[in-house]
């Protein structure tokens, strides 16, 4: 059995071979050198091991050590990225954001600020607000140019009671679903203990995954293209 085979056996806990000092690169290196010296001391003088075999075994050890260093570096980078994301999301508390969603939770009085994106100019643009019972309320935005169109939904003017609503945009030119974004303020940030995407608790929207945020800062209510209903 050569030193590489003996090393692999020891690393896997087999037999009475010399044990490594942990699984670190330095521990593996010490064990390898001890095994190499033992093999040289106990080799057959009439049939010594070829020196090139030692070189090949050292090269294999070097590859293992390099892979371990890369693995450790990647783990460190992952921890740093997680910490950076935690610090970043914590700073979002109290900030205004835009969320890609077509569902809102109204308290029956607060104005809801939203934004839609038109690929083409439209002579007629309507936002339908549907409640849990399927009853729809119209928000007429009229003629709009292509691009971002901000709007507001006033529950008092539309006689919308508190509850959950679904938004749907219809134009005279759109042949596919028009993207809708809703503005809200971040109340708190929750980081799942079992991993997963960071959750932001946003007023009027509840918990929203971090990756659904489309804009940080700003408010649709401050836009010049706003349509108030």
């Amino acid at each position: 059995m050569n030193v590489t085979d003996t090393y692999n056996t020891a690393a896997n806990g087999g037999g009475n071979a010399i044990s490594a000092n942990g699984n670190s690169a330095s521990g593996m290196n010490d064990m390898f050198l001890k095994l190499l010296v033992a093999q040289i001391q106990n080799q057959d003088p009439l049939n010594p091991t070829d020196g090139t075999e030692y070189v090949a075994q050292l090269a294999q050890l070097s590859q293992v050590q390099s892979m371990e260093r890369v693995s450790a570096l990647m783990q460190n980078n992952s921890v740093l990225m997680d910490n950076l994301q935690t610090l970043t999301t914590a700073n979002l508390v109290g900030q205004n954001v835009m969320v890609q969603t077509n569902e809102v939770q109204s308290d029956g009085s607060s104005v809801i600020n939203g934004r839609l994106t038109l690929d083409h100019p439209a002579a007629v643009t309507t936002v339908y607000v549907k409640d849990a019972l399927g009853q729809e309320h119209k928000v007429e935005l009229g003629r709009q140019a292509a691009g971002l169109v901000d709007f507001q939904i006033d529950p008092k003017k539309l006689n919308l009671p508190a509850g959950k609503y679904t938004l749907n945009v219809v134009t005279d030119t759109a042949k596919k679903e028009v993207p809708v974004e809703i503005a809200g303020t971040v109340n708190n940030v929750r980081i799942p203990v079992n991993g997963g995407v960071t959750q932001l608790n946003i007023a009027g929207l509840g918990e929203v995954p971090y990756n659904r945020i489309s804009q940080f800062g700003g408010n649709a209510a401050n836009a010049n293209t706003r349509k108030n209903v």
Side-chain angles (χ1 to χ4, degrees), residues 83-168:
N83 292 339
L84 180 60
Q85 183 181 27
T86 300
L87 292 174
T88 301
T89 53
N91 291 330
L92 292 176
V93 176
Q95 300 296 317
N96 295 323
V97 296
M98 297 293 292
V99 181
Q100 292 181 335
T101 181
N102 63 344
E103 295 182 348
V104 295
Q105 184 75 32
S106 174
D107 59 7
S109 60
S110 301
V111 174
I112 298 172
N113 296 300
R115 181 172 67 193
L116 55 91
T117 303
L118 296 179
D119 292 334
H120 307 283
V124 179
T125 305
T126 306
V127 178
Y128 287 89
V129 184
K130 182 187 296 185
D131 61 22
L133 298 178
Q135 183 178 359
E136 291 184 331
H137 304 265
K138 292 182 179 181
V139 178
E140 298 289 355
L141 302 181
R143 182 182 297 274
Q144 296 292 337
L148 301 177
V149 179
D150 292 336
F151 64 89
Q152 286 185 327
I153 299 175
D154 190 336
K156 294 181 179 179
K157 291 184 178 181
L158 292 177
N159 296 319
L160 301 178
K164 188 175 182 179
Y165 295 88
T166 302
L167 307 181
N168 184 40

Side-chain angles (χ1 to χ4, degrees), residues 3-16:
V3 68
T4 303
D5 295 334
T6 307
Y7 167 78
N8 290 333
T9 301
N12 292 324
N16 297 318

